[in-house]
PDB file of all heavy atoms in Angstrom:
ATOM      1  N   LEU A 426      -7.793  -5.840  -8.671  1.00 98.00           N
ATOM      2  CA  LEU A 426      -6.798  -6.658  -7.868  1.00 98.00           C
ATOM      3  C   LEU A 426      -7.036  -8.176  -8.274  1.00 98.00           C
ATOM      4  O   LEU A 426      -5.997  -8.727  -8.627  1.00 98.00           O
ATOM      5  CB  LEU A 426      -7.065  -6.455  -6.430  1.00 98.00           C
ATOM      6  CG  LEU A 426      -6.586  -5.183  -5.784  1.00 98.00           C
ATOM      7  CD1 LEU A 426      -7.093  -4.827  -4.548  1.00 98.00           C
ATOM      8  CD2 LEU A 426      -5.070  -5.040  -5.918  1.00 98.00           C
ATOM      9  N   ALA A 427      -8.222  -8.678  -8.423  1.00 98.00           N
ATOM     10  CA  ALA A 427      -8.514 -10.063  -8.778  1.00 98.00           C
ATOM     11  C   ALA A 427      -7.839 -10.370 -10.136  1.00 98.00           C
ATOM     12  O   ALA A 427      -7.156 -11.429 -10.240  1.00 98.00           O
ATOM     13  CB  ALA A 427      -9.910 -10.399  -8.655  1.00 98.00           C
ATOM     14  N   ARG A 428      -7.987  -9.391 -11.176  1.00 97.00           N
ATOM     15  CA  ARG A 428      -7.397  -9.661 -12.413  1.00 97.00           C
ATOM     16  C   ARG A 428      -5.910  -9.635 -12.409  1.00 97.00           C
ATOM     17  O   ARG A 428      -5.218 -10.074 -13.336  1.00 97.00           O
ATOM     18  CB  ARG A 428      -7.940  -8.708 -13.454  1.00 97.00           C
ATOM     19  CG  ARG A 428      -9.350  -8.754 -13.729  1.00 97.00           C
ATOM     20  CD  ARG A 428      -9.799  -7.884 -14.969  1.00 97.00           C
ATOM     21  NE  ARG A 428      -9.487  -6.548 -14.780  1.00 97.00           N
ATOM     22  CZ  ARG A 428     -10.333  -5.620 -14.187  1.00 97.00           C
ATOM     23  NH1 ARG A 428     -11.493  -5.987 -13.623  1.00 97.00           N
ATOM     24  NH2 ARG A 428      -9.892  -4.369 -14.149  1.00 97.00           N
ATOM     25  N   SER A 429      -5.320  -9.004 -11.373  1.00 97.00           N
ATOM     26  CA  SER A 429      -3.864  -8.867 -11.318  1.00 97.00           C
ATOM     27  C   SER A 429      -3.180  -9.779 -10.409  1.00 97.00           C
ATOM     28  O   SER A 429      -1.968  -9.592 -10.112  1.00 97.00           O
ATOM     29  CB  SER A 429      -3.630  -7.364 -10.833  1.00 97.00           C
ATOM     30  OG  SER A 429      -4.295  -6.343 -11.642  1.00 97.00           O
ATOM     31  N   GLY A 430      -3.931 -10.800  -9.853  1.00 97.00           N
ATOM     32  CA  GLY A 430      -3.220 -11.769  -9.129  1.00 97.00           C
ATOM     33  C   GLY A 430      -3.482 -11.605  -7.504  1.00 97.00           C
ATOM     34  O   GLY A 430      -2.712 -12.262  -6.675  1.00 97.00           O
ATOM     35  N   TRP A 431      -4.333 -10.690  -7.115  1.00 98.00           N
ATOM     36  CA  TRP A 431      -4.604 -10.457  -5.759  1.00 98.00           C
ATOM     37  C   TRP A 431      -6.008 -10.643  -5.310  1.00 98.00           C
ATOM     38  O   TRP A 431      -6.950 -10.563  -6.171  1.00 98.00           O
ATOM     39  CB  TRP A 431      -4.268  -8.866  -5.453  1.00 98.00           C
ATOM     40  CG  TRP A 431      -2.893  -8.441  -5.679  1.00 98.00           C
ATOM     41  CD1 TRP A 431      -2.458  -7.816  -6.842  1.00 98.00           C
ATOM     42  CD2 TRP A 431      -1.694  -8.558  -4.901  1.00 98.00           C
ATOM     43  NE1 TRP A 431      -1.091  -7.668  -6.833  1.00 98.00           N
ATOM     44  CE2 TRP A 431      -0.631  -8.088  -5.595  1.00 98.00           C
ATOM     45  CE3 TRP A 431      -1.554  -9.143  -3.616  1.00 98.00           C
ATOM     46  CZ2 TRP A 431       0.567  -7.910  -5.098  1.00 98.00           C
ATOM     47  CZ3 TRP A 431      -0.285  -9.042  -3.012  1.00 98.00           C
ATOM     48  CH2 TRP A 431       0.733  -8.579  -3.746  1.00 98.00           C
ATOM     49  N   GLU A 432      -6.147 -10.796  -4.066  1.00 98.00           N
ATOM     50  CA  GLU A 432      -7.606 -10.870  -3.490  1.00 98.00           C
ATOM     51  C   GLU A 432      -7.756  -9.920  -2.371  1.00 98.00           C
ATOM     52  O   GLU A 432      -7.046  -9.789  -1.488  1.00 98.00           O
ATOM     53  CB  GLU A 432      -7.840 -12.301  -2.816  1.00 98.00           C
ATOM     54  CG  GLU A 432      -9.203 -12.431  -2.342  1.00 98.00           C
ATOM     55  CD  GLU A 432      -9.480 -13.683  -1.540  1.00 98.00           C
ATOM     56  OE1 GLU A 432      -8.698 -14.647  -1.796  1.00 98.00           O
ATOM     57  OE2 GLU A 432     -10.427 -13.782  -0.776  1.00 98.00           O
ATOM     58  N   LEU A 433      -8.673  -8.931  -2.622  1.00 98.00           N
ATOM     59  CA  LEU A 433      -8.953  -7.911  -1.675  1.00 98.00           C
ATOM     60  C   LEU A 433      -9.498  -8.483  -0.289  1.00 98.00           C
ATOM     61  O   LEU A 433     -10.562  -9.158  -0.394  1.00 98.00           O
ATOM     62  CB  LEU A 433      -9.945  -6.892  -2.306  1.00 98.00           C
ATOM     63  CG  LEU A 433     -10.359  -5.660  -1.443  1.00 98.00           C
ATOM     64  CD1 LEU A 433      -9.020  -4.755  -1.203  1.00 98.00           C
ATOM     65  CD2 LEU A 433     -11.491  -4.895  -2.103  1.00 98.00           C
ATOM     66  N   THR A 434      -8.872  -8.226   0.750  1.00 97.00           N
ATOM     67  CA  THR A 434      -9.205  -8.761   1.960  1.00 97.00           C
ATOM     68  C   THR A 434      -9.797  -7.735   3.095  1.00 97.00           C
ATOM     69  O   THR A 434     -10.472  -8.102   3.956  1.00 97.00           O
ATOM     70  CB  THR A 434      -8.031  -9.525   2.741  1.00 97.00           C
ATOM     71  OG1 THR A 434      -6.896  -8.633   2.881  1.00 97.00           O
ATOM     72  CG2 THR A 434      -7.661 -10.700   1.910  1.00 97.00           C
ATOM     73  N   SER A 435      -9.409  -6.508   2.827  1.00 96.00           N
ATOM     74  CA  SER A 435      -9.852  -5.471   3.782  1.00 96.00           C
ATOM     75  C   SER A 435      -9.856  -4.125   2.936  1.00 96.00           C
ATOM     76  O   SER A 435      -9.042  -3.862   2.219  1.00 96.00           O
ATOM     77  CB  SER A 435      -8.860  -5.329   4.866  1.00 96.00           C
ATOM     78  OG  SER A 435      -9.233  -4.343   5.758  1.00 96.00           O
ATOM     79  N   TYR A 436     -10.981  -3.348   3.213  1.00 97.00           N
ATOM     80  CA  TYR A 436     -11.102  -2.072   2.551  1.00 97.00           C
ATOM     81  C   TYR A 436     -11.623  -0.975   3.570  1.00 97.00           C
ATOM     82  O   TYR A 436     -12.730  -1.136   4.142  1.00 97.00           O
ATOM     83  CB  TYR A 436     -11.980  -2.295   1.384  1.00 97.00           C
ATOM     84  CG  TYR A 436     -12.346  -1.044   0.569  1.00 97.00           C
ATOM     85  CD1 TYR A 436     -11.546  -0.802  -0.439  1.00 97.00           C
ATOM     86  CD2 TYR A 436     -13.374  -0.133   0.742  1.00 97.00           C
ATOM     87  CE1 TYR A 436     -11.720   0.331  -1.340  1.00 97.00           C
ATOM     88  CE2 TYR A 436     -13.601   0.990  -0.013  1.00 97.00           C
ATOM     89  CZ  TYR A 436     -12.750   1.301  -1.086  1.00 97.00           C
ATOM     90  OH  TYR A 436     -12.867   2.379  -1.848  1.00 97.00           O
ATOM     91  N   VAL A 437     -10.899   0.016   3.691  1.00 96.00           N
ATOM     92  CA  VAL A 437     -11.202   1.186   4.505  1.00 96.00           C
ATOM     93  C   VAL A 437     -11.080   2.541   3.858  1.00 96.00           C
ATOM     94  O   VAL A 437     -10.015   2.686   3.209  1.00 96.00           O
ATOM     95  CB  VAL A 437     -10.400   1.193   5.852  1.00 96.00           C
ATOM     96  CG1 VAL A 437     -10.836   2.461   6.652  1.00 96.00           C
ATOM     97  CG2 VAL A 437     -10.510  -0.024   6.651  1.00 96.00           C
ATOM     98  N   ASP A 438     -12.119   3.256   3.656  1.00 96.00           N
ATOM     99  CA  ASP A 438     -12.196   4.631   2.947  1.00 96.00           C
ATOM    100  C   ASP A 438     -12.902   5.514   3.912  1.00 96.00           C
ATOM    101  O   ASP A 438     -14.107   5.660   3.785  1.00 96.00           O
ATOM    102  CB  ASP A 438     -12.892   4.413   1.535  1.00 96.00           C
ATOM    103  CG  ASP A 438     -12.725   5.722   0.891  1.00 96.00           C
ATOM    104  OD1 ASP A 438     -12.035   6.544   1.130  1.00 96.00           O
ATOM    105  OD2 ASP A 438     -13.526   5.794  -0.225  1.00 96.00           O
ATOM    106  N   GLU A 439     -12.108   6.212   4.673  1.00 93.00           N
ATOM    107  CA  GLU A 439     -12.596   7.186   5.654  1.00 93.00           C
ATOM    108  C   GLU A 439     -11.900   8.581   5.257  1.00 93.00           C
ATOM    109  O   GLU A 439     -10.968   8.637   4.493  1.00 93.00           O
ATOM    110  CB  GLU A 439     -12.128   6.888   7.087  1.00 93.00           C
ATOM    111  CG  GLU A 439     -12.609   5.422   7.418  1.00 93.00           C
ATOM    112  CD  GLU A 439     -11.976   5.011   8.778  1.00 93.00           C
ATOM    113  OE1 GLU A 439     -10.761   5.474   9.018  1.00 93.00           O
ATOM    114  OE2 GLU A 439     -12.554   4.099   9.436  1.00 93.00           O
ATOM    115  N   ASP A 440     -12.479   9.629   5.700  1.00 90.00           N
ATOM    116  CA  ASP A 440     -11.840  10.927   5.508  1.00 90.00           C
ATOM    117  C   ASP A 440     -10.367  11.022   5.762  1.00 90.00           C
ATOM    118  O   ASP A 440      -9.692  11.543   5.146  1.00 90.00           O
ATOM    119  CB  ASP A 440     -12.617  12.020   6.226  1.00 90.00           C
ATOM    120  CG  ASP A 440     -13.833  12.428   5.585  1.00 90.00           C
ATOM    121  OD1 ASP A 440     -14.103  11.994   4.410  1.00 90.00           O
ATOM    122  OD2 ASP A 440     -14.716  13.136   6.172  1.00 90.00           O
ATOM    123  N   ALA A 441      -9.976  10.384   6.861  1.00 89.00           N
ATOM    124  CA  ALA A 441      -8.698  10.464   7.442  1.00 89.00           C
ATOM    125  C   ALA A 441      -7.708   9.486   6.890  1.00 89.00           C
ATOM    126  O   ALA A 441      -6.500   9.459   7.088  1.00 89.00           O
ATOM    127  CB  ALA A 441      -8.603  10.344   8.903  1.00 89.00           C
ATOM    128  N   ARG A 442      -8.149   8.444   6.010  1.00 91.00           N
ATOM    129  CA  ARG A 442      -7.364   7.549   5.383  1.00 91.00           C
ATOM    130  C   ARG A 442      -8.002   6.562   4.454  1.00 91.00           C
ATOM    131  O   ARG A 442      -9.194   6.396   4.494  1.00 91.00           O
ATOM    132  CB  ARG A 442      -6.569   6.525   6.381  1.00 91.00           C
ATOM    133  CG  ARG A 442      -7.496   5.597   7.030  1.00 91.00           C
ATOM    134  CD  ARG A 442      -7.019   4.887   8.258  1.00 91.00           C
ATOM    135  NE  ARG A 442      -7.829   3.994   8.748  1.00 91.00           N
ATOM    136  CZ  ARG A 442      -7.660   2.898   9.055  1.00 91.00           C
ATOM    137  NH1 ARG A 442      -6.536   2.251   8.775  1.00 91.00           N
ATOM    138  NH2 ARG A 442      -8.544   2.034   9.519  1.00 91.00           N
TER     139      ARG A 442
END
Side-chain angles (χ1 to χ4, degrees):
L426 287 167
R428 292 190 306 271
S429 306
W431 300 97
E432 178 186 344
L433 184 64
T434 58
S435 174
Y436 183 90
V437 176
D438 183 13
E439 303 167 337
D440 281 348
R442 71 187 178 131

